[in-house]
Short mmCIF file of all heavy atoms in Angstrom, two decimals:
data_model
loop_
_atom_site.label_atom_id
_atom_site.label_comp_id
_atom_site.label_asym_id
_atom_site.label_seq_id
_atom_site.Cartn_x
_atom_site.Cartn_y
_atom_site.Cartn_z
N ASN P 1 26.23 -59.96 50.83
CA ASN P 1 26.97 -59.50 51.93
C ASN P 1 26.13 -59.01 53.05
O ASN P 1 26.71 -58.85 54.23
CB ASN P 1 27.93 -58.28 51.52
CG ASN P 1 28.93 -58.84 50.48
OD1 ASN P 1 29.34 -59.95 50.51
ND2 ASN P 1 29.26 -57.88 49.47
N GLY P 2 24.83 -58.79 52.94
CA GLY P 2 23.97 -58.34 53.91
C GLY P 2 23.94 -56.76 54.01
O GLY P 2 24.77 -56.07 53.35
N ILE P 3 22.95 -56.25 54.64
CA ILE P 3 22.68 -54.73 54.58
C ILE P 3 23.17 -54.23 55.94
O ILE P 3 22.67 -54.76 57.03
CB ILE P 3 21.11 -54.58 54.51
CG1 ILE P 3 20.73 -54.94 52.96
CG2 ILE P 3 20.86 -53.07 54.69
CD1 ILE P 3 19.23 -54.96 52.83
N LYS P 4 24.01 -53.24 55.93
CA LYS P 4 24.49 -52.55 57.08
C LYS P 4 23.60 -51.31 57.44
O LYS P 4 23.13 -51.10 58.58
CB LYS P 4 25.92 -52.15 56.90
CG LYS P 4 26.59 -51.54 58.14
CD LYS P 4 28.03 -51.33 58.00
CE LYS P 4 28.72 -50.91 59.30
NZ LYS P 4 30.26 -50.94 59.19
N HIS P 5 23.27 -50.59 56.40
CA HIS P 5 22.35 -49.47 56.55
C HIS P 5 21.41 -49.42 55.39
O HIS P 5 21.77 -49.66 54.21
CB HIS P 5 23.11 -48.08 56.52
CG HIS P 5 24.11 -47.84 57.66
ND1 HIS P 5 25.46 -48.14 57.56
CD2 HIS P 5 23.84 -47.50 58.92
CE1 HIS P 5 26.00 -47.89 58.71
NE2 HIS P 5 25.04 -47.52 59.62
N ALA P 6 20.12 -49.00 55.67
CA ALA P 6 19.08 -48.96 54.57
C ALA P 6 18.17 -47.78 54.95
O ALA P 6 17.67 -47.67 56.02
CB ALA P 6 18.30 -50.21 54.56
N TYR P 7 18.16 -46.82 53.97
CA TYR P 7 17.51 -45.54 54.26
C TYR P 7 16.42 -45.37 53.04
O TYR P 7 16.58 -45.85 51.94
CB TYR P 7 18.43 -44.39 54.02
CG TYR P 7 19.51 -44.30 54.99
CD1 TYR P 7 20.79 -43.65 54.86
CD2 TYR P 7 19.49 -45.05 56.31
CE1 TYR P 7 21.77 -43.66 55.71
CE2 TYR P 7 20.53 -45.04 57.22
CZ TYR P 7 21.56 -44.26 56.96
OH TYR P 7 22.58 -44.25 57.96
N PHE P 8 15.28 -44.77 53.49
CA PHE P 8 14.29 -44.34 52.59
C PHE P 8 14.19 -42.87 52.50
O PHE P 8 13.87 -42.24 53.58
CB PHE P 8 12.86 -44.99 53.04
CG PHE P 8 11.76 -44.48 52.22
CD1 PHE P 8 11.46 -44.95 50.94
CD2 PHE P 8 10.80 -43.53 52.76
CE1 PHE P 8 10.35 -44.51 50.20
CE2 PHE P 8 9.68 -43.11 52.08
CZ PHE P 8 9.49 -43.64 50.80
N TYR P 9 14.48 -42.25 51.48
CA TYR P 9 14.46 -40.74 51.31
C TYR P 9 13.18 -40.42 50.57
O TYR P 9 12.72 -41.17 49.69
CB TYR P 9 15.68 -40.24 50.53
CG TYR P 9 17.04 -40.22 51.14
CD1 TYR P 9 17.83 -41.45 51.08
CD2 TYR P 9 17.50 -39.28 51.82
CE1 TYR P 9 19.03 -41.44 51.65
CE2 TYR P 9 18.77 -39.30 52.47
CZ TYR P 9 19.48 -40.45 52.38
OH TYR P 9 20.74 -40.51 52.95
N THR P 10 12.57 -39.26 50.88
CA THR P 10 11.40 -38.88 50.30
C THR P 10 11.20 -37.39 50.14
O THR P 10 11.78 -36.71 50.96
CB THR P 10 10.14 -39.45 51.08
OG1 THR P 10 8.95 -38.99 50.41
CG2 THR P 10 10.12 -38.93 52.45
N SER P 11 10.50 -36.96 49.12
CA SER P 11 10.08 -35.57 49.01
C SER P 11 8.65 -35.49 48.82
O SER P 11 8.03 -34.34 48.49
CB SER P 11 10.83 -34.86 47.90
OG SER P 11 10.35 -35.43 46.56
N PHE P 12 7.91 -36.53 49.10
CA PHE P 12 6.41 -36.58 49.18
C PHE P 12 5.94 -35.70 50.34
O PHE P 12 6.29 -35.92 51.59
CB PHE P 12 5.81 -37.91 49.24
CG PHE P 12 5.84 -38.72 48.02
CD1 PHE P 12 6.75 -39.76 47.87
CD2 PHE P 12 4.96 -38.46 46.92
CE1 PHE P 12 6.82 -40.46 46.73
CE2 PHE P 12 5.08 -39.19 45.78
CZ PHE P 12 5.92 -40.19 45.63
N MET P 13 5.12 -34.74 50.06
CA MET P 13 4.41 -33.95 51.17
C MET P 13 3.26 -34.73 51.62
O MET P 13 2.79 -34.37 52.84
CB MET P 13 4.04 -32.50 50.59
CG MET P 13 5.17 -31.62 50.18
SD MET P 13 6.30 -31.14 51.67
CE MET P 13 7.57 -32.35 51.51
N ASP P 14 2.66 -35.55 50.83
CA ASP P 14 1.50 -36.36 51.20
C ASP P 14 2.02 -37.65 51.99
O ASP P 14 2.60 -38.48 51.41
CB ASP P 14 0.77 -36.77 50.04
CG ASP P 14 -0.52 -37.60 50.39
OD1 ASP P 14 -0.72 -37.97 51.49
OD2 ASP P 14 -1.23 -37.96 49.45
N GLU P 15 1.99 -37.62 53.28
CA GLU P 15 2.50 -38.71 54.09
C GLU P 15 2.03 -40.05 53.74
O GLU P 15 2.59 -41.12 53.89
CB GLU P 15 2.26 -38.35 55.53
CG GLU P 15 2.94 -39.46 56.56
CD GLU P 15 4.52 -39.59 56.38
OE1 GLU P 15 5.14 -38.56 55.96
OE2 GLU P 15 4.98 -40.62 56.64
N SER P 16 0.73 -40.06 53.23
CA SER P 16 0.07 -41.26 52.90
C SER P 16 0.85 -42.05 51.80
O SER P 16 0.87 -43.29 51.71
CB SER P 16 -1.35 -41.08 52.37
OG SER P 16 -1.42 -40.33 51.16
N ARG P 17 1.59 -41.22 50.93
CA ARG P 17 2.40 -41.81 49.88
C ARG P 17 3.55 -42.54 50.40
O ARG P 17 3.95 -43.65 50.00
CB ARG P 17 2.85 -40.79 48.78
CG ARG P 17 1.64 -40.20 48.12
CD ARG P 17 1.18 -41.27 47.04
NE ARG P 17 2.07 -41.34 45.80
CZ ARG P 17 2.37 -42.33 45.09
NH1 ARG P 17 1.78 -43.62 45.44
NH2 ARG P 17 3.09 -42.38 43.97
N ASN P 18 4.12 -41.88 51.47
CA ASN P 18 5.31 -42.60 52.11
C ASN P 18 4.93 -43.87 52.81
O ASN P 18 5.55 -44.83 52.75
CB ASN P 18 5.92 -41.59 53.20
CG ASN P 18 6.55 -40.27 52.47
OD1 ASN P 18 7.14 -40.39 51.47
ND2 ASN P 18 6.37 -39.24 53.24
N LYS P 19 3.69 -43.81 53.39
CA LYS P 19 3.24 -45.01 54.08
C LYS P 19 2.87 -46.13 53.15
O LYS P 19 2.78 -47.28 53.46
CB LYS P 19 1.99 -44.55 54.97
CG LYS P 19 2.36 -43.72 56.13
CD LYS P 19 1.08 -43.33 56.97
CE LYS P 19 1.57 -42.45 58.22
NZ LYS P 19 0.35 -42.17 59.02
N GLU P 20 2.62 -45.68 51.90
CA GLU P 20 2.25 -46.63 50.83
C GLU P 20 3.49 -47.33 50.32
O GLU P 20 3.64 -48.60 50.16
CB GLU P 20 1.51 -45.99 49.69
CG GLU P 20 1.38 -46.84 48.42
CD GLU P 20 0.98 -46.05 47.13
OE1 GLU P 20 0.60 -44.81 47.44
OE2 GLU P 20 0.84 -46.59 46.21
N ILE P 21 4.53 -46.47 50.07
CA ILE P 21 5.75 -47.00 49.27
C ILE P 21 6.79 -47.61 50.22
O ILE P 21 7.26 -48.69 49.89
CB ILE P 21 6.34 -45.78 48.50
CG1 ILE P 21 5.41 -45.29 47.52
CG2 ILE P 21 7.63 -46.27 47.94
CD1 ILE P 21 5.77 -43.99 46.86
N LYS P 22 6.99 -47.11 51.37
CA LYS P 22 8.09 -47.46 52.28
C LYS P 22 7.79 -49.02 52.67
O LYS P 22 8.75 -49.70 52.58
CB LYS P 22 8.12 -46.59 53.50
CG LYS P 22 9.31 -47.06 54.48
CD LYS P 22 9.21 -46.10 55.74
CE LYS P 22 10.24 -46.56 56.73
NZ LYS P 22 10.18 -45.72 57.91
N PRO P 23 6.67 -49.46 53.05
CA PRO P 23 6.49 -50.79 53.41
C PRO P 23 6.68 -51.80 52.31
O PRO P 23 7.09 -52.91 52.54
CB PRO P 23 4.99 -50.93 53.84
CG PRO P 23 4.67 -49.47 54.28
CD PRO P 23 5.36 -48.61 53.31
N ILE P 24 6.40 -51.39 51.01
CA ILE P 24 6.68 -52.22 49.89
C ILE P 24 8.15 -52.65 49.83
O ILE P 24 8.65 -53.70 49.63
CB ILE P 24 6.27 -51.53 48.54
CG1 ILE P 24 4.73 -51.44 48.55
CG2 ILE P 24 6.70 -52.41 47.40
CD1 ILE P 24 4.28 -50.57 47.44
N ILE P 25 9.01 -51.60 50.00
CA ILE P 25 10.50 -51.66 49.99
C ILE P 25 10.97 -52.61 51.11
O ILE P 25 11.82 -53.37 51.04
CB ILE P 25 11.15 -50.26 49.95
CG1 ILE P 25 10.69 -49.49 48.75
CG2 ILE P 25 12.72 -50.44 49.83
CD1 ILE P 25 11.11 -47.98 48.83
N GLU P 26 10.40 -52.17 52.43
CA GLU P 26 10.78 -52.90 53.55
C GLU P 26 10.50 -54.47 53.45
O GLU P 26 11.19 -55.34 53.89
CB GLU P 26 10.11 -52.32 54.87
CG GLU P 26 10.64 -51.07 55.15
CD GLU P 26 9.87 -50.42 56.37
OE1 GLU P 26 8.68 -50.67 56.46
OE2 GLU P 26 10.60 -49.66 57.19
N GLU P 27 9.35 -54.74 52.72
CA GLU P 27 8.99 -56.15 52.61
C GLU P 27 9.95 -56.84 51.61
O GLU P 27 10.33 -58.06 51.99
CB GLU P 27 7.54 -56.25 52.00
CG GLU P 27 7.07 -57.58 51.62
CD GLU P 27 7.07 -58.58 52.93
OE1 GLU P 27 6.86 -58.15 54.05
OE2 GLU P 27 7.16 -59.81 52.66
N LYS P 28 10.45 -56.12 50.75
CA LYS P 28 11.35 -56.74 49.70
C LYS P 28 12.75 -56.92 50.37
O LYS P 28 13.29 -57.99 50.03
CB LYS P 28 11.39 -55.89 48.37
CG LYS P 28 10.08 -55.85 47.59
CD LYS P 28 10.24 -55.00 46.43
CE LYS P 28 8.91 -54.90 45.62
NZ LYS P 28 8.68 -56.31 44.91
N LEU P 29 13.03 -55.98 51.14
CA LEU P 29 14.42 -56.05 51.73
C LEU P 29 14.49 -56.83 53.02
O LEU P 29 15.51 -57.31 53.57
CB LEU P 29 14.94 -54.70 52.06
CG LEU P 29 15.22 -53.84 50.86
CD1 LEU P 29 15.69 -52.37 51.26
CD2 LEU P 29 16.38 -54.43 50.01
N LYS P 30 13.23 -56.95 53.67
CA LYS P 30 13.22 -57.60 55.02
C LYS P 30 13.95 -56.91 56.09
O LYS P 30 14.57 -57.44 56.90
CB LYS P 30 13.69 -59.05 54.93
CG LYS P 30 12.98 -59.96 53.72
CD LYS P 30 11.56 -60.05 54.07
CE LYS P 30 10.93 -60.97 53.07
NZ LYS P 30 9.39 -60.87 53.06
N VAL P 31 13.97 -55.64 55.94
CA VAL P 31 14.60 -54.76 56.99
C VAL P 31 13.75 -53.48 57.16
O VAL P 31 12.91 -53.13 56.41
CB VAL P 31 16.02 -54.23 56.55
CG1 VAL P 31 16.91 -55.48 56.46
CG2 VAL P 31 15.91 -53.42 55.27
N ASN P 32 13.90 -52.81 58.37
CA ASN P 32 13.25 -51.55 58.61
C ASN P 32 14.17 -50.37 58.06
O ASN P 32 15.34 -50.39 58.23
CB ASN P 32 12.99 -51.34 60.14
CG ASN P 32 12.03 -52.37 60.67
OD1 ASN P 32 11.04 -52.67 60.05
ND2 ASN P 32 12.27 -52.75 61.92
N LEU P 33 13.46 -49.53 57.31
CA LEU P 33 14.19 -48.39 56.73
C LEU P 33 14.06 -47.22 57.55
O LEU P 33 13.06 -46.82 58.06
CB LEU P 33 13.51 -48.10 55.33
CG LEU P 33 13.66 -49.08 54.29
CD1 LEU P 33 12.74 -48.83 53.09
CD2 LEU P 33 14.96 -49.36 53.83
N LYS P 34 15.29 -46.56 57.82
CA LYS P 34 15.24 -45.25 58.39
C LYS P 34 14.76 -44.18 57.28
O LYS P 34 15.25 -44.26 56.07
CB LYS P 34 16.67 -44.88 58.84
CG LYS P 34 17.16 -45.59 60.02
CD LYS P 34 18.51 -45.10 60.56
CE LYS P 34 18.89 -45.83 61.77
NZ LYS P 34 20.18 -45.24 62.26
N GLN P 35 13.87 -43.30 57.70
CA GLN P 35 13.36 -42.27 56.70
C GLN P 35 13.93 -40.89 56.87
O GLN P 35 14.09 -40.44 57.99
CB GLN P 35 11.71 -42.29 56.89
CG GLN P 35 11.11 -41.33 55.85
CD GLN P 35 9.63 -41.48 55.96
OE1 GLN P 35 9.14 -42.53 56.04
NE2 GLN P 35 8.88 -40.40 55.83
N PHE P 36 14.23 -40.35 55.82
CA PHE P 36 14.77 -38.96 55.73
C PHE P 36 14.16 -38.21 54.59
O PHE P 36 13.69 -38.87 53.57
CB PHE P 36 16.29 -38.92 55.60
CG PHE P 36 17.09 -39.70 56.62
CD1 PHE P 36 17.44 -41.02 56.38
CD2 PHE P 36 17.44 -39.16 57.78
CE1 PHE P 36 18.17 -41.67 57.41
CE2 PHE P 36 18.12 -39.72 58.75
CZ PHE P 36 18.56 -41.07 58.54
N TYR P 37 14.15 -36.94 54.72
CA TYR P 37 13.73 -36.12 53.47
C TYR P 37 14.92 -36.12 52.46
O TYR P 37 16.10 -36.17 52.86
CB TYR P 37 13.46 -34.69 53.88
CG TYR P 37 12.05 -34.64 54.53
CD1 TYR P 37 11.83 -34.23 55.82
CD2 TYR P 37 10.90 -34.79 53.80
CE1 TYR P 37 10.65 -34.11 56.44
CE2 TYR P 37 9.56 -34.78 54.31
CZ TYR P 37 9.48 -34.41 55.68
OH TYR P 37 8.26 -34.27 56.19
N ILE P 38 14.63 -36.02 51.20
CA ILE P 38 15.63 -35.95 50.19
C ILE P 38 16.34 -34.59 50.36
O ILE P 38 15.68 -33.56 50.47
CB ILE P 38 14.99 -36.01 48.84
CG1 ILE P 38 14.49 -37.44 48.58
CG2 ILE P 38 15.97 -35.62 47.60
CD1 ILE P 38 13.86 -37.69 47.27
N PRO P 39 17.65 -34.61 50.42
CA PRO P 39 18.43 -33.31 50.67
C PRO P 39 18.06 -32.29 49.55
O PRO P 39 17.83 -32.71 48.40
CB PRO P 39 19.90 -33.68 50.48
CG PRO P 39 19.91 -35.13 51.00
CD PRO P 39 18.63 -35.72 50.48
N SER P 40 17.95 -31.00 49.90
CA SER P 40 17.53 -30.00 48.98
C SER P 40 18.34 -29.89 47.77
O SER P 40 17.88 -29.49 46.68
CB SER P 40 17.50 -28.67 49.79
OG SER P 40 18.84 -28.29 50.34
N ILE P 41 19.75 -30.23 47.86
CA ILE P 41 20.57 -30.12 46.68
C ILE P 41 20.21 -31.13 45.62
O ILE P 41 20.46 -30.84 44.39
CB ILE P 41 22.03 -30.31 47.07
CG1 ILE P 41 22.93 -29.75 46.03
CG2 ILE P 41 22.32 -31.70 47.38
CD1 ILE P 41 24.41 -29.70 46.36
N ILE P 42 19.54 -32.16 46.06
CA ILE P 42 18.99 -33.11 45.05
C ILE P 42 17.45 -32.81 44.74
O ILE P 42 17.05 -32.75 43.52
CB ILE P 42 18.99 -34.54 45.50
CG1 ILE P 42 20.56 -34.98 45.68
CG2 ILE P 42 18.24 -35.51 44.70
CD1 ILE P 42 20.70 -36.44 46.17
N ALA P 43 16.68 -32.38 45.67
CA ALA P 43 15.27 -32.04 45.47
C ALA P 43 15.14 -30.90 44.51
O ALA P 43 14.11 -30.85 43.82
CB ALA P 43 14.63 -31.82 46.83
#
């Protein structure tokens, strides 16, 4: 059906980990991911 919204949530304090992981997912999905922190009620 295609992707309408795609988000990457993170609780990594080390930004290098986000920069490592997020591109892997974007490459697999072929879309740019909007990045947010994981909400505190889940974190």
Side-chain angles (χ1 to χ4, degrees):
N1 298 328
I3 295 174
K4 187 168 187 175
H5 295 102
Y7 300 155
F8 174 75
Y9 290 88
T10 179
S11 64
F12 283 107
M13 294 294 100
D14 182 356
E15 185 58 30
S16 67
R17 291 289 279 147
N18 296 323
K19 292 179 179 179
E20 170 195 352
I21 296 168
K22 183 183 174 188
I24 295 174
I25 303 168
E26 289 178 327
E27 175 61 27
K28 291 177 182 293
L29 293 175
K30 306 302 181 186
V31 298
N32 293 322
L33 297 168
K34 290 185 178 180
Q35 182 171 320
F36 302 95
Y37 283 113
I38 291 177
S40 58
I41 196 169
I42 290 181

